[in-house]
Amino acid sequence: MSEIFTGNFTQQEPIPEDAIEAAVRVMRHGRLHRYNLRDGEVSETALLEQEFAAFTGSKYCLAVASGGYALSAALRAVGVQAGDKVLTNGFTLAPVPGAIANVGGVPVFVEVTDQLVMDLDDLQAKIASSGARYLMLSHMRGHLVDMQALMTICDATNVQVIEDCAHTMGAAWNGVASGTQGVVGCYSTQTFKHLNSGEGGLLVTNDAEVMARATMLSGSYMLYERHLAGAPAEVFEDIRLDTPNCSGRMDNLRAAILRPQLTRLRERCDAWNARYRQVEEGLRNIPGLRVIERPVEEDYVMSSFQFLLPKMGSVTIQDFIAEVAKRGVELKWFGAELPSGFTSRHDNWRYVPRQDLPQTDRILAGLLDLRLPLTFSLEDCAQIARIIRDVLIRRS
Ligand SMILES: *Cc1c(COP(=O)(O)O)cnc(C)c1O
């Protein structure tokens, strides 16, 4: 009898009871807008910003409407203007090139390696050939590039780095929190990321001017003094009348749901990693399958799992996916010609000038991915790995 997995790959945990109570309190008093305060009151949103700044060790934090909004506000706040080139990963998720397009920037894709991180040789070559002054570095699927090497390259060439940490909230490189090495770090609190408010985003920086511009962009109605992790008021003097309000604030309801989750983030990260290691263990030593080896400098948080089937052709991969699906295991394949449910291939973004990325294309052709929601037990993860192993071994 073949085993069949019956878990649901998109079912996250419920919102914790204390977070539900905090949300109900906000609804009872009715002041959902972050700047709608009684005398002496501080908003849930401002408190969340203060707590997230402390969590990452950053001076400033701004809560916004989505991760994608944080990315585009960050680009604009560091000075990207229409027509400017912005380097980014050839393998990322659609909101990343979307954020660049949103500010009128032109994405220049950099190859990724078979460790699924940015190829630093190609980065150097493309900084030189494009003349781009900005890099939007996507820590796609939680894989961290050698941040020291990357920052050395970017500092030497005056390239400003914005980090897309949608998958690295809670992660670190050599002990430094992901999102704090570039000028700005951007995070998402959308349901499938590490904190869940349905939609939402956070941005951190140590640069007061960047923070002031991002705050104006998010739509502060000149009420920026009601922040707790905001730039000093005097920094706004030169900025406030020159920065448009591109409304994208977070509200107190979402912040109320997020604050109690943030206090549990560390243990949640450990729970994800335990699940990740369980799958990794189960998928080692299968002919034709490669797990991604992780550098010792990397403290990852893996809410999904990636593996490579480098030698399998695309027809066979399609069969393989169909077979594991029959046994209840949902895999995403980044090599599919046409997007379904998500897009991560540079050639699916036709609003961007066509670019040649042979290395990335070759890697994506054999790259598979599965989600690891915390509703899965360790035994569920072991079973998922057994099913993948069984299908692969039967086929070989
Ligand atoms: C989810 C995601 C984002 C953007 O997040 P939203 O909150 O959905 O806008 C950005 N980058 C990556 C890699 C993501 O997975």
Side-chain angles (χ1 to χ4, degrees):
M1 250 298 277
S2 323
E3 292 185 273
I4 294 187
F5 180 64
T6 55
N8 180 339
F9 281 81
T10 54
Q11 181 60 55
Q12 305 292 29
E13 288 184 304
I15 299 301
E17 283 305 319
D18 53 347
I20 293 174
E21 281 164 23
V24 170
R25 277 197 297 278
V26 170
M27 289 188 281
R28 291 229 158 90
H29 68 52
R31 293 182 296 281
L32 274 69
H33 192 286
R34 69 166 297 166
Y35 297 119
N36 181 196
L37 302 176
R38 280 198 313 208
D39 264 357
E41 193 179 23
V42 285
S43 73
E44 289 284 334
T45 313
L47 286 164
L48 171 69
E49 289 165 343
Q50 187 177 48
E51 289 156 4
F52 195 72
F55 178 81
T56 57
S58 306
K59 270 195 189 153
Y60 310 118
C61 175
L62 179 70
V64 293
S66 73
Y69 185 92
L71 292 172
S72 54
L75 286 167
R76 198 152 176 179
V78 303
V80 175
Q81 306 215 330
D84 284 351
K85 289 175 179 165
V86 180
L87 298 147
T88 193
N89 305 53
F91 168 51
T92 180
L93 202 73
V96 175
I100 298 172
N102 197 18
V103 298
V106 182
V108 175
F109 295 120
V110 180
E111 297 266 31
V112 296
T113 69
D114 52 14
Q115 300 289 111
L116 306 186
V117 298
M118 184 168 275
D119 183 324
L120 296 181
D121 293 332
D122 196 47
L123 172 64
Q124 256 176 320
K126 294 213 166 123
I127 290 172
S129 64
S130 68
R133 298 272 70 94
Y134 308 97
L135 166 63
M136 175 159 282
L137 173 64
S138 182
H139 304 299
M140 179 60 173
R141 284 298 188 260
H143 298 268
L144 287 167
V145 69
D146 181 337
M147 285 303 293
Q148 255 127 337
L150 179 128
M151 290 311 300
T152 303
I153 293 169
C154 292
D155 288 344
T157 47
N158 281 320
V159 168
Q160 298 204 68
V161 180
I162 291 164
E163 295 182 70
D164 165 27
C165 303
H167 301 157
T168 55
M169 183 189 283
W173 180 268
N174 249 343
V176 184
S178 184
T180 61
Q181 273 162 291
V183 188
V184 191
C186 300
Y187 308 79
S188 168
T189 63
Q190 187 240 76
T191 296
F192 299 105
K193 313 298 162 93
H194 298 170
L195 296 177
N196 178 7
S197 58
E199 303 287 355
L202 292 158
L203 169 166
V204 300
T205 182
N206 288 334
D207 184 313
E209 276 189 31
V210 168
M211 178 63 188
R213 268 187 232 110
T215 306
M216 293 309 302
L217 286 166
S218 76
S220 68
Y221 298 113
M222 305 295 166
L223 299 171
Y224 43 79
E225 288 182 76
R226 296 185 187 174
H227 289 233
L228 294 173
E234 63 271 18
V235 181
F236 285 85
E237 290 310 317
D238 288 340
I239 286 166
R240 52 189 230 148
L241 301 181
D242 299 297
T243 312
N245 172 336
C246 304
S247 207
R249 294 167 304 279
M250 184 181 279
D251 58 88
N252 289 331
L253 193 51
R254 287 192 172 86
I257 294 172
L258 290 169
R259 291 183 58 219
Q261 291 181 54
L262 183 58
T263 63
R264 296 177 178 85
L265 183 56
R266 280 281 159 235
E267 48 189 274
R268 284 161 63 86
C269 292
D270 292 344
W272 266 307
N273 287 344
R275 282 153 183 76
Y276 178 82
R277 288 181 190 124
Q278 188 81 54
V279 176
E280 185 181 49
E281 185 63 31
L283 292 184
R284 283 198 186 279
N285 305 317
I286 303 176
L289 182 150
R290 256 196 45 218
V291 300
I292 317 271
E293 299 301 341
R294 313 304 295 260
V296 291
E297 295 91 340
E298 189 186 25
D299 283 319
Y300 53 74
V301 180
M302 291 302 285
S303 51
S304 64
F305 191 95
Q306 292 72 47
F307 62 94
L308 292 155
L309 298 172
K311 300 249 154 59
M312 205 183 262
S314 64
V315 175
T316 327
I317 286 186
Q318 271 164 313
D319 283 356
F320 162 73
I321 292 170
E323 256 179 84
V324 294
K326 276 194 225 141
R327 294 181 54 182
V329 175
E330 250 176 67
L331 295 178
K332 282 184 185 170
W333 177 39
F334 292 109
E337 275 309 310
L338 283 175
S340 76
F342 66 96
T343 65
S344 286
R345 276 172 64 120
H346 61 96
D347 54 356
N348 287 159
W349 302 318
R350 283 197 269 173
Y351 55 87
V352 179
R354 224 13 235 241
Q355 298 169 43
D356 255 358
L357 298 164
Q359 178 176 307
T360 300
D361 293 345
R362 174 180 57 71
I363 291 159
L364 296 190
L367 180 62
L368 291 119
D369 176 279
L370 57 104
R371 281 184 204 279
L372 296 173
L374 290 180
T375 49
F376 287 1
S377 65
L378 292 178
E379 173 44 32
D380 289 339
C381 296
Q383 189 185 32
I384 290 166
R386 280 199 303 274
I387 291 172
I388 294 172
R389 170 184 291 270
D390 187 46
V391 171
L392 274 173
I393 288 180
R394 279 182 205 211
R395 300 180 63 92
S396 63

